[in-house]
Amino acid sequence: ANGEQVTSLCVGEPDFPPPQAVLDATIEAVTDGKTRYTAVTGTAELRIAIAADLKHRKNVDYDANTEIVVANGAKQAVFQGVLATVGKGDKVIIPAPYWPSYPEMV
């Protein structure tokens, strides 16, 4: 309504191809042998870049080693957050709308 472009992520993936810079970086990573799983929290290089971006764009400070975790998707991040903070018998509010697997995660 405001003339702003909105990217739909309702199916969990964008409806456009990756930018050329992303494709080039992927080729470079594969060529450099970066083809193995990384640390569960993400590479240090990526977490440091995220902290720097947050500082630049939002003027907030985060410690890349202790306050930033990279997940492979929202459901993984939500599950890990629930797993880390909710105990047996705890009550959890799941606001609607929600992904159908969220109640099972809890």
Side-chain angles (χ1 to χ4, degrees):
N2 294 332
E4 296 178 29
Q5 182 176 355
V6 177
T7 301
S8 172
L9 297 175
C10 65
V11 295
E13 59 184 85
D15 60 356
F16 53 87
Q20 189 60 47
V22 171
L23 297 173
D24 293 342
T26 301
I27 292 168
E28 182 180 340
V30 170
T31 302
D32 290 347
K34 297 178 181 175
T35 57
R36 307 303 244 167
Y37 285 116
T38 64
V40 174
T41 56
T43 64
E45 179 183 31
L46 177 57
R47 288 182 281 117
I48 290 167
I50 291 169
D53 180 66
L54 289 168
K55 177 64 176 175
H56 173 74
R57 289 187 309 112
K58 299 189 177 208
N59 197 31
V60 293
D61 290 305
Y62 288 96
D63 183 325
N65 294 316
T66 61
E67 297 179 308
I68 295 178
V69 174
V70 177
N72 66 8
K75 283 174 55 172
Q76 178 196 355
V78 169
F79 177 73
Q80 289 177 315
V82 169
L83 188 64
T85 60
V86 176
K88 186 175 181 174
D90 288 351
K91 293 182 180 181
V92 177
I93 296 172
I94 303 172
Y98 56 83
W99 198 254
S101 58
Y102 287 0
E104 293 301 318
M105 289 180 188
V106 172

